Amino acid sequence: MTKYLLVLFFIVLIFVGCKKDRLKDEKEVFIGKWQWVYSEADLFLCDGFPLYDDTLTPQSESVNYSLEFEKKGKVQLYKDDQLMASYRVVFKVFGGPYYSCDVNYNGFEIALDNYEGSDVNYLIGGCVNADSLIIKNGFPFYDDGCNFYTNYFIKE
């Protein structure tokens, strides 16, 4: 009997330890595939060079990026239609003026795989509405402290 209780305990622990947020209610806006359209870049801020603005596009970079959110709380990141990574979605913030979003958007911050550290590669933050996703922190171009990117996506 004790052996069965121990096995049951570990099964429950695994399910509780693998936290992810199902995309329901107002978060359903994320569900679907989002295609990268362009990114605005503020470059070379730490090198002593003047601020340089650039616009990156699929054509200028010779690459296509997309991401797909599933209702069950997962996101897949794609490069040229090839899966790069898959993560659990855990919302740190959703709604309101977070990330200085326009009133037509909901601000959000997602910790990929429930990440609690400061590595920007595991955080996605920005603004979302029914047909536009603006990632001000994260995929496909990540801020590195010197270079800052705002990435724009449209829903397919």
Side-chain angles (χ1 to χ4, degrees), residues 82-125:
Q82 297 295 315
L83 181 65
M84 294 172 50
S86 180
Y87 299 102
R88 292 183 323 272
V89 172
V90 179
F91 284 90
K92 295 179 87 174
V93 175
F94 182 79
Y98 202 68
Y99 275 97
S100 302
C101 296
D102 181 280
V103 295
N104 298 317
Y105 289 83
N106 279 308
F108 68 90
E109 186 166 79
I110 295 171
L112 300 174
D113 281 347
N114 201 26
Y115 185 74
E116 292 293 332
S118 60
D119 185 341
V120 296
N121 294 319
Y122 290 95
L123 297 172
I124 293 179

Side-chain angles (χ1 to χ4, degrees), residues 19-49:
K19 183 180 181 207
K20 65 183 173 195
D21 291 337
R22 294 183 68 74
L23 302 180
K24 58 184 180 179
D25 302 324
E26 63 275 348
K27 293 176 186 167
E28 287 181 0
V29 70
F30 284 97
I31 298 172
K33 192 151 190 179
W34 298 85
Q35 190 67 40
W36 175 58
V37 181
Y38 69 97
S39 295
E40 294 174 347
D42 295 328
L43 305 171
F44 310 116
L45 298 175
C46 294
D47 295 336
F49 295 102

Side-chain angles (χ1 to χ4, degrees), residues 136-149:
K136 296 186 178 186
N137 178 43
F139 184 78
F141 300 102
Y142 296 86
D143 298 349
D144 65 7
C146 295
N147 303 307
F148 298 91
Y149 301 91

